Amino acid sequence: MKYYTCGPLGCWGVNTTDDIHFRLGVTPSFCQGTGWQQVAGKLSMIEVGTDGSVYGVSREGEVYRRDGITDINPLGTKWTQLYYKCYKFSHVSYDLNQIWLITKDGKTFQCEV
């Protein structure tokens, strides 16, 4: 994995070919997990907030949110593209209803979700 992030419902990773994976069986007392499940889509980086929300950035600089995440379905159901200004992004971070974005040319933005 080139990017790995964990939240309350599990861990997510992105490999060198931008494939997205979810780590099965991760708990606060068992971080090793039981295996990986590939999730549809391609992202260059991924981030999980403390509430379990998942956001990512594609190689093209587009920002995505994973929808449908619940305790019963921690993988969620689909990716939704978010539109922020006319920039291409390299990094996203999220927590407490705030999203932070870094553009490919180094500008930083903070937005409410």
Side-chain angles (χ1 to χ4, degrees), residues 75-95:
L75 286 135
T77 55
K78 67 177 183 170
W79 294 105
T80 297
Q81 185 176 357
L82 305 179
Y83 296 94
Y84 291 104
K85 304 200 183 222
C86 296
Y87 293 98
K88 298 295 181 183
F89 297 96
S90 61
H91 191 88
V92 61
S93 186
Y94 167 84
D95 209 9

Side-chain angles (χ1 to χ4, degrees), residues 8-9 68-74:
L9 301 177
I69 294 174
T70 64
D71 290 342
I72 296 169
N73 185 18

Side-chain angles (χ1 to χ4, degrees), residues 37-65:
Q37 181 172 338
Q38 189 166 350
V39 177
K42 294 273 191 181
L43 294 172
S44 60
M45 67 84 50
I46 196 164
E47 185 76 23
V48 179
T50 56
D51 65 358
S53 296
V54 178
Y55 290 83
V57 177
S58 70
R59 183 175 302 269
E60 295 79 23
E62 298 158 337
V63 179
Y64 291 87
R65 177 188 65 230

